[in-house]
Amino acid sequence: MPATCSHKIITRHSPYPDRGTRSSQSEDPAIRPPPGRLSTLLYHELPVLQPDTLTPATPQRATQVLPGAVPTGVPYPEPLSLTAANSSLTVLPLIPSSSSTSTLHFRAHRLFDNAHDFAIYNPQFHTSLPAGSGIKELLMHSIPDAFYNSSAHYPPPKCHLGTREEYITLITDWAQGRSDRQEPILWMRGPFGVGKSAIAQSCAEALAPIDKLAAALFFSRSNGNRDDPRRVFTSIAYQIAAKCPPFREIINQHMMDDPALAMTSLSTQFEDLLVNPLRSVDITGSGMDGRVVVIDGLDECRGAVEQCEIIRVIAASVRKHTTPFRWFITSRPKEPIIQTMNSIPVSAVLSSLELPVSRAIDHEILLYLTDEFKKIREDHGLPESWPSEDVLALLVEHGAGLWIYVATMIRFIKDENSLGPEDQLHIVVEFVKEVSAKVGEDNPLAEMDYFYTLIMQQVPPKITTTLRRILLLYFISSMGINDVACALFLSIEQLHHACTSIQSVMKVENSIQFYHTSFLDFMKDSQRSKELCIQSDFLIGWRWELLR
């Protein structure tokens, strides 16, 4: 059965097919408009229908606005619904005049449902927020999917037992003030796939039980809204409020007094949601002194300007001692971030740590592969001799210190939508032997692109176009799976089936989640993914298809 679509289109002038709820007026069944977002997203040049071209579902009635009403476009959470059979119905102003004298108190959004034949003059609407609603408002402007213990990215990318222990020890010692590094900001940088997020996750999980974690935020360009810079300090403030009751009471009241605090500039947010409330808190008695804030993948936060502003705001607070925290930040070595970190105001309070692609961790890669293959053998009843030592050595050699490469290999071998792990391992072995002749030795970053190509080549041809469209829609809009399915005329089961073809790089449950941003980066770069690219010629072709 086709997926149920929630979109309701009231125009009859769009040539695009739709599966949504149709208007009550008669239509040519061959002309059904799609969800408006699809054409808007894929073809920005399409003309926008003017209001006089729209065909309303019900006749419009004449309205009269009360004298003194202030015209406004301020949106309500839900529009007030007025129903009447009288064409001379008076419409209530959203904002009353200053001369209003009578007062109407209400709580419900739909106060006037089913009411008719009445008028109210000079009303004033007063709303009261229930206890705790300030915190709820703050949560609405946060990124809970990016918290370290969120189910949205379960299982989290943490270090395999017995690996990366040197870095985890170094960072947790710094966090507890037991290190030679005394600077309040610790910046760990490294290329994609070397395990920065895994280390950050492992550190957050180590610090939380000993009450040394204030907040943790894991950015991701490829997953939902986890790249919004406007929600960085709101997310941090919310997590601190969850741990510190005195801070929670203050921030709750602040948000109730002025919910717009969550929508101010980054520097203003930091002052109003962190600095000012903390002034009224006994920092030592509350246990907040010296706790760590983890910000992982800063380069995946939307906008280079915003990335740098976040760094500068944090550094200024550290210099002025307006917050009691230590800040652990990870990122790729992008030029704007490097320049900001090396600036005099920031570098004075910063200690940096490089995480390179290195063959020095081959023994950790081997440990990880050995443990993972043991699980696969147990699950599938395979002999102890599988895989051979030569195969393990080959995979370690080609992994060359790039964690994302070997982790993706393992997920590919485990793929349930295949002929089994033995067949999948054979594909991987043949692949690494062949690709080494193309890219040379010790070049795992280049091999990673070839491996992503291999994964896409395993997708059945009749599914490839649909899968690329799913990826494209998600990339340009972060649409939910129901919206994506609706836009592509798929049932949820069909969408799941298409995506299982690449479950080594992404998973689909209640939402689409990518194991690593590098896959989506690969798919949208025509220089890397070539004919598999979801932009360029593919996007243009889809636009033409919509026009036809």
Side-chain angles (χ1 to χ4, degrees):
M1 294 294 292
T4 300
C5 180
S6 61
H7 304 281
K8 185 173 183 177
I9 309 299
I10 62 172
T11 177
R12 298 168 58 198
H13 300 275
S14 172
Y16 311 123
D18 180 37
R19 307 172 60 236
T21 303
R22 298 174 60 184
S23 71
S24 59
Q25 300 200 4
S26 60
E27 291 182 349
D28 180 348
I31 302 177
R32 296 185 302 161
R37 293 180 67 190
L38 180 57
S39 56
T40 301
L41 292 167
L42 296 180
Y43 203 89
H44 302 287
E45 296 83 6
L46 288 176
V48 178
L49 294 175
Q50 298 303 315
D52 59 357
T53 68
L54 299 178
T55 303
T58 56
Q60 297 296 308
R61 301 189 182 276
T63 61
Q64 174 187 357
V65 180
L66 285 175
V70 181
T72 177
V74 177
Y76 261 43
E78 291 183 39
L80 295 176
S81 176
L82 302 177
T83 305
N86 192 334
S87 62
S88 63
L89 174 67
T90 300
V91 178
L92 303 178
L94 290 181
I95 300 179
S97 65
S98 58
S99 61
S100 300
T101 55
S102 59
T103 302
L104 175 65
H105 297 275
F106 71 98
R107 288 180 181 271
H109 290 305
R110 309 301 296 268
L111 176 67
F112 301 109
D113 274 4
N114 301 319
H116 61 86
D117 297 329
F118 75 97
I120 298 177
Y121 297 95
N122 297 325
Q124 289 183 347
F125 297 107
H126 296 269
T127 60
S128 59
L129 296 173
S133 62
I135 292 297
K136 292 179 181 178
E137 185 74 18
L138 187 62
L139 178 61
M140 289 176 60
H141 289 87
S142 301
I143 322 176
D145 284 355
F147 296 176
Y148 87 97
N149 55 357
S150 168
S151 62
H153 63 130
Y154 182 85
K158 62 180 179 179
C159 299
H160 187 74
L161 184 64
T163 65
R164 295 310 212 199
E165 291 179 337
E166 178 183 354
Y167 287 99
I168 295 171
T169 300
L170 185 154
I171 295 162
T172 53
D173 282 351
W174 163 84
Q176 297 174 77
R178 301 195 304 235
S179 168
D180 293 337
R181 298 172 184 259
Q182 298 299 314
E183 296 83 358
I185 303 176
L186 179 60
W187 173 42
M188 184 171 69
R189 65 188 187 277
F192 85 85
V194 294
K196 300 184 298 296
S197 294
I199 291 174
Q201 177 73 29
S202 295
C203 290
E205 292 186 5
L207 295 172
I210 60 174
D211 295 330
K212 292 299 293 183
L213 183 69
L217 198 61
F218 289 75
F219 284 115
S220 174
R221 287 194 309 276
S222 60
N223 290 310
N225 66 346
R226 287 170 53 192
D227 66 346
D228 191 345
R230 299 167 300 176
R231 296 172 179 252
V232 175
F233 297 134
T234 54
S235 297
I236 292 171
Y238 177 83
Q239 292 180 71
I240 294 171
K243 298 176 175 67
C244 180
F247 181 86
R248 179 166 62 248
E249 293 177 9
I250 296 168
I251 202 72
N252 181 66
Q253 189 61 51
H254 282 196
M255 287 298 299
M256 290 174 65
D257 293 341
D258 185 4
L261 288 178
M263 294 173 280
T264 56
S265 67
L266 289 175
S267 58
T268 303
Q269 277 187 31
F270 193 89
E271 287 293 318
D272 291 341
L273 298 178
L274 290 170
V275 174
N276 292 337
L278 284 168
R279 288 196 179 109
S280 302
V281 173
D282 177 2
I283 299 300
T284 303
S286 66
M288 286 291 110
D289 192 25
R291 287 205 186 193
V292 177
V293 177
V294 176
I295 300 178
D296 176 68
L298 181 61
D299 58 290
E300 298 197 30
C301 175
R302 194 186 316 142
V305 173
E306 288 79 3
Q307 296 166 11
C308 298
E309 178 67 8
I310 290 169
I311 297 169
R312 285 191 285 264
V313 168
I314 292 172
S317 171
V318 167
R319 291 195 311 272
K320 298 174 184 177
H321 303 286
T322 57
T323 53
F325 308 119
R326 291 173 177 261
W327 303 81
F328 175 46
I329 302 172
T330 78
S331 77
R332 300 186 196 184
K334 297 294 184 70
E335 191 59 32
I337 294 178
I338 293 175
Q339 291 180 358
T340 305
M341 292 293 192
N342 289 338
S343 65
I344 293 177
V346 178
S347 62
V349 291
L350 174 76
S351 178
S352 61
L353 177 65
E354 185 174 4
L355 189 65
V357 179
S358 172
R359 299 303 303 267
I361 64 167
D362 277 3
H363 64 288
E364 295 185 354
I365 298 287
L366 177 61
L367 175 62
Y368 168 75
L369 289 174
T370 301
D371 289 348
E372 290 299 315
F373 278 120
K374 179 181 178 182
K375 295 176 185 176
I376 296 173
R377 285 197 304 270
E378 292 173 349
D379 290 342
H380 294 270
L382 298 174
E384 289 288 333
S385 59
W386 183 89
S388 68
E389 292 185 4
D390 289 343
V391 168
L392 278 174
L394 181 67
L395 298 184
V396 171
E397 178 74 18
H398 283 265
L402 190 64
W403 278 104
I404 186 60
Y405 190 8
V406 293
T408 306
M409 284 182 180
I410 287 295
R411 286 194 295 268
F412 182 84
I413 294 167
K414 287 181 175 181
D415 191 346
E416 297 175 358
N417 190 40
S418 69
L419 296 178
E422 292 175 293
D423 185 71
Q424 292 293 96
L425 178 59
H426 177 74
I427 294 173
V428 170
V429 170
E430 292 302 312
F431 161 77
V432 296
K433 289 179 179 177
E434 179 182 348
V435 77
S436 61
K438 299 178 181 178
V439 302
E441 296 181 357
D442 284 354
N443 196 356
L445 294 173
E447 282 197 28
M448 191 76 243
D449 280 359
Y450 279 101
F451 195 61
Y452 282 149
T453 301
L454 172 70
I455 291 170
M456 287 299 296
Q457 288 173 343
Q458 305 302 305
V459 178
K462 66 179 181 180
I463 297 178
T464 301
T465 297
T466 297
L467 180 58
R468 291 168 73 193
R469 287 180 176 179
I470 291 170
L471 295 174
L472 175 58
L473 283 179
Y474 185 82
F475 164 63
I476 62 180
S477 68
S478 294
M479 294 169 69
I481 59 173
N482 290 324
D483 289 334
V484 171
C486 181
L488 295 176
F489 301 95
L490 301 172
S491 68
I492 295 298
E493 291 75 17
Q494 288 172 322
L495 184 142
H496 275 270
H497 180 70
C499 293
T500 55
S501 303
I502 56 169
Q503 61 183 0
S504 56
V505 292
M506 66 178 283
K507 63 177 179 178
V508 179
E509 292 176 352
N510 296 325
S511 62
I512 295 175
Q513 298 287 330
F514 293 89
Y515 290 110
H516 200 272
T517 304
S518 58
F519 173 71
L520 207 53
D521 290 343
F522 165 79
M523 289 299 296
K524 66 186 183 184
D525 187 339
S526 60
Q527 296 297 315
R528 297 170 62 190
S529 53
K530 307 219 172 13
E531 71 278 0
L532 295 170
C533 182
I534 59 175
Q535 298 200 96
S536 189
D537 292 343
F538 181 71
L539 176 56
I540 294 171
W542 197 2
R543 285 174 170 173
W544 277 111
E545 184 177 327
L546 283 175
L547 285 174
R548 289 194 297 269

